[in-house]
Amino acid sequence: MSSFGVRRTAYGAIGLAVTGALALTGCQNGDDNGASGKASTPPATGSTAPTHSAPPNAPAPAGGGTAKAGQSFKIGEAAQIPFSYGSTTKGTIALTVTSIDQGQPGDLAPLKMGDQVKGKVPYYIRYSIKNTGTTDLAYASVGHIKGLLGDGTEAQDLMVIGTFDKCPSDSLSKGFTNGHTQTGCAVALAPSAATKVTSAEYWGDPYTLGQGIYWK
């Protein structure tokens, strides 16, 4: 299992979740209670081993049906997916990755993570969520979105618990019923300026990491 370091700053507790199938379980889709750290937490150790190959090229489903594992969408195209949060909240959403924007290494300076992010370049995966079902999804969180590098291997994830102005992502608002829309953002880290984050994967339930749905 990969590890992530956590530090307290004026921006909240920030952890660097390194590549791995379990790296994103904290504070996403209600799977557990997240992680809180102390200043004495050891720094994260990275993993350079790829965990899955390039995203498949299967087309999006015709007629607006439910997206199937392994299917790819164009950036800006909505995927209709089942959504669950915790053990009781279940519904349907249209999830759209709207852009993958390259940031600057200096964007990470306020997080005071030092060598953990040295040389890395942040990419901001921006997405929108629309409630297309009958369940009120108020206060749920849509996570399990990660970046993929040009060769299809996973980019490192930057998990932010608190506020990061460059990439804000909040729980769904009160009264998030059918037709309501909200935006979110996930941070992926390229290992250097020579490598780019070119696509994104959503792997929340009922999908799994490496067999999710893709935007590129």
Side-chain angles (χ1 to χ4, degrees):
M1 181 184 295
S2 301
S3 61
F4 58 85
V6 181
R7 296 191 177 187
R8 293 281 183 187
T9 71
Y11 288 77
I14 299 96
L16 176 64
V18 297
T19 302
L22 301 180
L24 287 179
T25 54
C27 293
Q28 300 199 31
N29 281 20
D31 292 337
D32 59 33
N33 293 324
S36 59
K38 300 178 181 179
S40 59
T41 303
T45 56
S47 169
T48 58
T51 58
H52 65 268
S53 58
N57 293 312
T66 300
K68 296 180 180 179
Q71 290 186 310
S72 291
F73 295 80
K74 294 179 180 179
I75 290 176
E77 186 176 7
Q80 299 286 337
I81 60 175
F83 174 73
S84 61
Y85 182 77
S87 59
T88 59
T89 302
K90 298 183 184 299
T92 306
I93 62 173
L95 181 64
T96 308
V97 171
T98 55
S99 66
I100 301 175
D101 302 326
Q102 182 177 343
Q104 299 296 324
D107 294 349
L108 304 174
L111 306 182
K112 302 186 184 301
M113 297 185 69
D115 289 344
Q116 293 186 76
V117 295
K118 185 177 181 180
K120 295 180 172 60
V121 179
Y123 281 76
Y124 306 123
I125 303 170
R126 306 189 192 279
Y127 55 92
S128 68
I129 310 108
K130 181 178 181 179
N131 189 342
T132 56
T134 59
T135 305
D136 187 349
L137 301 178
Y139 310 121
S141 293
V142 179
H144 293 86
I145 296 177
K146 75 182 294 85
L148 303 176
L149 304 177
D151 63 359
T153 57
E154 298 172 19
Q156 286 185 333
D157 305 296
L158 185 67
M159 185 184 296
V160 178
I161 304 172
T163 301
F164 183 36
D165 291 340
K166 291 289 185 179
C167 193
S169 185
D170 300 315
S171 298
L172 299 179
S173 61
K174 180 180 179 180
F176 197 81
T177 53
N178 182 273
H180 283 70
T181 301
Q182 187 168 314
T183 59
C185 183
V187 186
L189 299 179
S192 70
T195 306
K196 297 183 181 298
V197 174
T198 60
S199 56
E201 177 185 5
Y202 172 78
W203 58 278
D205 184 58
Y207 311 101
T208 57
L209 187 61
Q211 287 295 318
I213 54 176
Y214 301 87
W215 287 263
K216 57 184 179 177

